Amino acid sequence: MPASFVPRACLSTHQGRNDLPIDFQPSNYDVICGRGKKFYNHFGNKLFRKTVALHLEEYSKASTKLDKSIIVSTILHSVRSKGDFVKLEQG
């Protein structure tokens, strides 16, 4: 991470945002939301993109909103079974 980042993160859920401990360090299975090479190259982000790619054809062929939602839920469950979605913040 750039030197300007304080090791602070928040966990965003459908219920809102939860601040994580000041010493939180993302695991290899967390998906870090952000822009730039550091985030793009994080192992969890690479794994997430691969998981999405594996489900892309099935999602494209799904004919109903329910079917598409089930596929998205499967992807989310896959991430959250070992990690989560986190956003690092400055400050």
Side-chain angles (χ1 to χ4, degrees):
M1 298 296 129
S4 61
F5 272 100
V6 173
R8 195 174 132 211
C10 66
L11 175 64
S12 294
T13 66
H14 65 281
Q15 298 170 338
R17 187 185 113 163
N18 298 319
D19 288 332
L20 295 171
I22 192 102
D23 60 347
F24 173 80
Q25 291 297 316
S27 78
N28 283 340
Y29 296 100
D30 288 325
V31 175
I32 305 173
C33 302
R35 296 174 57 183
K37 191 183 288 188
K38 294 258 184 194
F39 300 115
Y40 186 83
N41 289 328
H42 180 70
F43 181 80
N45 291 44
K46 289 180 180 180
L47 190 59
F48 175 65
R49 288 193 305 274
K50 185 176 181 178
T51 303
V52 169
L54 289 172
H55 289 86
L56 187 57
E57 185 176 347
E58 179 186 6
Y59 183 88
S60 296
K61 290 180 179 179
S63 58
T64 67
K65 187 174 180 179
L66 176 62
D67 291 339
K68 290 179 185 247
S69 294
I70 291 169
I71 295 165
V72 170
S73 293
T74 300
I75 294 169
L76 291 175
H77 177 72
S78 173
V79 170
R80 291 187 170 138
S81 67
K82 291 186 177 180
D84 220 322
F85 294 89
V86 297
K87 181 178 180 185
L88 300 180
E89 296 182 339
Q90 286 183 310

